């Protein structure tokens, strides 16, 4: 067995050093343990699955969800003089050759590996195999955002090669997904090592701001930013929006599931090679995109989950250079923004000093103050007046009966509200996030008035 460092220097170059948990994870695998690595996109997971088999002089089997991703990886290894091949629909070697010792690293689709014939081959070759690695392991879990049925069955392989160490790597941070991976891959035992790097990406400046009313203004802002910053991905929610914004953004290329595969591949190529530095895409432009110098990721609309947002924003700055991520929200999708909290990432996002919340430079703090104003007004009006009255009161405009009522309640708004506040969106947000609800006041006139929910009340106290 050679040392991991020797292999790193031989194939990657004498200047390379391991970073983060790479060295420890590799060592754990070479000592025969199972390993789960949770590392941010761009963190360097590939080396962890590529180096141990080379150092042990055995075969590494790597399962990966995308053919294009595997092709890139295999080509990258071949370029370094490492004997790699691909099994699956774009097969570069026969099944028997792949396992006869003439290859060091074998990439394969989960469907291919799970065929009975292949499982038997693995059993026969078990003494030659040094590692079974599952890339993008969150695809194993139904709780992840990219569940794949065949991935969910990968645990079966372990009964055919029981003494071969297993490595699962993912950028997904939720505990539920992690424990699902361990359970399904039979990794819950004392010889398990878990490495989890910080979720926070120090080089990403994150911010959220209201989407301009006119799409033309929005596109102008994006074009300007893209020109200043460099390669840009604009994520939108639907294929229709992708086509629309592609037509609105000169020089852009487009990527979504409904496009012809050749058009999609051409867009990807154009973006990767900087022929076009502006890509408009849906979530279909996802896993395995290895463009290190994406400088700006812009979301028009709120992704379905925080995890999805994290993955999309995470495509910026994989090379570690400062990059920007802006989410343009609208009243209609703003309820989801409430979930942009560290509940989700076990507190790792607190005090990063990079995003708008921590640096207090953008709309977010202003938003908090307008939330407070409107919550206060709704509370003051005691569920007897409509939302428009609450907005009048919150905006600080005088309205005699309301002022009297407010004065009676000893509640006054402090400084004037920020100009151009989109009160209707703020009201929509408060209702959408369950802080305010409507209660019928006069059924005959179908009049209902807003009032604070218990959550709204405690939020108001906390603000
Ligand atoms: P991940 O799979 O975690 O998204 P990769 O393994 O593709 O990330 O690595 C991201 C980038 O970082 C690649 O360009 C890779 O060559 C580089 N990289 C990884 N590990 C190191 C290291 N120890 N030193 C220098 N560069 C590294």
């Amino acid at each position: 067995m050679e040392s991991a460092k020797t292999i790193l220097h031989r194939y990657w170059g004498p200047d390379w050093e391991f970073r983060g948990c790479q060295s420890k994870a590799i060592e754990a695998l070479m000592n025969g343990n199972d390993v789960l690595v949770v590392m941010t996109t761009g963190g360097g997971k590939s080396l962890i699955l590529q180096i141990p088999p080379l150092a042990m002089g055995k075969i590494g089997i790597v399962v990966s969800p995308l053919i294009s991703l595997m092709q890139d990886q295999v080509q990258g290894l071949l370029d370094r003089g490492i004997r790699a091949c691909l099994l699956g629909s774009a097969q570069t070697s026969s099944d028997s050759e792949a396992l006869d010792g003439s290859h060091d690293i074998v990439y394969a689709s989960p469907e291919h590996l799970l065929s009975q014939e292949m499982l038997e081959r693995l059993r026969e070759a078990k003494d030659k195999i040094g590692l079974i690695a599952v890339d993008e392991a969150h695809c194993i879990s139904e709780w992840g955002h990219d569940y794949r049925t065949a991935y969910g069955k990968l645990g079966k392989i372990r009964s055919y090669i029981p003494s071969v160490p297993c490595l699962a790597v993912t950028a997904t941070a939720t505990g539920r997904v992690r424990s699902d991976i361990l359970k399904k891959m039979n990794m819950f035992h004392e010889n398990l090592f878990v490495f989890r790097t910080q979720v926070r990406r120090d080089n990403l400046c994150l911010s959220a701001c209201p989407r301009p009313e006119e799409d033309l203004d929005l596109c102008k802002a994006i074009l300007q930013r893209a020109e200043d910053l460099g390669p840009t991905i604009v994520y939108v929610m639907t294929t229709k929006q992708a086509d629309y914004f592609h037509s609105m953004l000169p020089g852009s290329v487009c990527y979504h599931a409904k496009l012809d595969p050749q058009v999609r591949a051409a867009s990807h190529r154009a973006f990767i090679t900087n022929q076009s530095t502006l890509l408009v895409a849906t979530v279909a432009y996802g896993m395995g995109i290895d463009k290190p110098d994406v400088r700006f990721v812009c979301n028009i609309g709120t992704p379905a989950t925080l995890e999805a947002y994290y993955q999309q924003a995470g495509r910026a700055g994989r090379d570690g250079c400062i990059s920007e991520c802006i989410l343009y929200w609208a009243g209609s999708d703003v309820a989801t923004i409430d979930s942009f909290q560290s509940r989700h990432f076990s507190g790792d996002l607190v005090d990063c000093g990079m995003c708008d919340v921590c640096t207090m430079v953008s709309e977010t703090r202003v938003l908090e103050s307008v939330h407070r104003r409107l919550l206060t007004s709704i509370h003051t009006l005691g569920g007897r007046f409509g939302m428009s009255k609450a907005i009048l009161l919150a905006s600080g405009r005088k309205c005699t009966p309301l002022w009297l009522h407010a004065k009676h309640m000893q509640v006054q708004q402090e400084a004037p509200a920020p100009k151009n506040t989109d009160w209707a969106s703020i009201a929509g947000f408060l209702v959408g996030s369950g802080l305010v609800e409507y209660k019928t006041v006069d059924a005959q006139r179908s009049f209902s008035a807003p009032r604070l929910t218990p959550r709204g009340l405690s939020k108001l106290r906390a603000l």
Side-chain angles (χ1 to χ4, degrees), residues 360-376:
M360 296 175 70
V361 293
S362 91
E363 317 276 4
T364 310
R365 293 288 147 182
V366 178
L367 261 182
E368 274 199 356
S369 97
V370 294
H371 286 171
R372 190 181 57 240
R373 293 178 85 104
L374 191 51
L375 286 170
T376 306

Side-chain angles (χ1 to χ4, degrees), residues 4 17-29 35-40 43-49 52 167-170 193-198:
E17 291 300 329
F18 286 121
R19 66 185 188 199
C21 68
Q22 283 175 333
S23 170
K24 285 198 172 137
I26 290 168
E27 188 189 324
L29 287 165
V35 170
L36 170 69
V37 174
V38 181
M39 201 187 244
T40 53
K45 292 184 282 296
S46 310
L47 282 188
I48 301 174
L49 44 91
L167 164 69
V169 298
T170 178
F193 283 66
V194 177
F195 297 93
R196 189 170 166 230
T197 60
Q198 248 187 356

